[in-house]
Amino acid sequence: MCENLPLPGGQRLWPGHPSLAHGVPASTAPGTIYALSVAGGVTTGPREGQAILFGRNRPEVHLCLGENDREVSRQHGQLIHYRRQWWVSTWGRKPLRLPDSRLLYVDDDPVPLAEGYTQLFVRGSGRREHLLELFVAGPEPRTAVRPGEPTWPRRVWRLDVAERLALTALAERYLRHERYAQPLTWAGTAKQLARLQPETGWDDKKVERLVAQVRARLSAQGVAGLTREEIGEPIGNMLNHNLIQELLQSSTLTPADLCLLDHAED
């Protein structure tokens, strides 16, 4: 098998190296980067101008990614240390997918990497996706968690009875795991609720006010993407989509809440 391009001042991580999600050694110097794929990886310190090339053509890159997939470019991208920070850029025909579903294209400016663990993806042929794990050590490296350590408690948002019912109806398509789910319209949500509680006076304006109150409450407590100022125009369904995603990710809403709509379906 051909060897990767040597990385001056770096060390190789062999295939089978544990996921970087488990952390890096506690003795790792701040600014050190670890980069890993299923084919192995590299680690190197924070020297100005130090660069790590990745892509599918093993002899031309320091880190091989998607070696047998011609949808991945031979030199697909680069990690480089510049002005005391690591940056990622892409040269490939297909964009890199960063956290929060951000896509990085060949003409985009490099993006700085945060300290800690980051996942990057390149979509390959068919339904394949190739994972590049990164870990930038900070002043206090995040080391592996011991098996017996307690699980951090999750933050579940408090909803009153009316809020839970209305948001379950709004998010019904998500809770039913429909592909490409979108929030129900105000009118559609109100129709569901009026069928369930005809005496309560549900209409689209009442639903809109209630959901807006929940968005404002969560935004005030630090949840991003729930205000018009953050999103900009056109808004579309994005505010409600972001709200639903937060409620699902925090397990505030779960598929079990669909039982609240059973009578509406009747």
Side-chain angles (χ1 to χ4, degrees), residues 8-172:
Q11 297 179 4
R12 182 151 306 285
L13 305 177
W14 300 105
H17 188 283
S19 170
L20 298 180
H22 298 303
V24 298
S27 59
T28 303
T32 298
I33 190 170
Y34 286 71
L36 182 68
S37 73
V38 295
V42 293
T43 179
T44 185
R47 294 191 295 112
E48 184 76 1
Q50 177 74 307
I52 301 171
L53 303 178
F54 59 88
R56 68 173 167 85
N57 190 5
R58 186 180 292 270
E60 294 183 358
V61 295
H62 305 113
L63 188 154
C64 192
L65 181 73
E67 185 169 20
N68 298 314
D69 192 334
R70 293 183 65 182
E71 293 288 322
V72 179
S73 294
R74 288 170 291 186
Q75 288 189 338
H76 204 95
Q78 174 182 252
L79 307 164
I80 188 167
H81 192 266
Y82 175 66
R83 292 188 176 179
R84 301 182 181 181
Q85 193 159 18
W86 286 98
W87 303 75
V88 59
S89 58
T90 182
W91 306 336
R93 295 182 179 179
K94 288 199 170 182
L96 284 174
R97 178 158 57 86
L98 280 60
D100 298 324
S101 299
R102 177 179 178 178
L103 296 178
L104 182 65
Y105 291 89
V106 65
D107 294 326
D108 290 341
D109 291 333
V111 172
L113 294 174
E115 291 179 355
Y117 181 68
T118 300
Q119 291 182 325
L120 306 180
F121 292 90
V122 177
R123 176 169 289 183
S125 56
R127 301 181 66 180
R128 299 172 68 186
E129 285 200 312
H130 303 282
L131 168 64
L132 175 57
E133 294 186 277
L134 304 174
F135 197 107
V136 178
E140 298 180 2
R142 303 174 196 175
T143 55
V145 177
R146 295 184 179 89
E149 291 184 9
T151 302
W152 285 348
R154 65 188 180 191
R155 184 171 191 177
V156 179
W157 300 103
R158 185 185 297 272
L159 301 175
D160 65 27
V161 174
E163 290 170 346
R164 181 170 297 276
L165 179 61
L167 288 163
T168 298
L170 185 74
E172 181 179 3

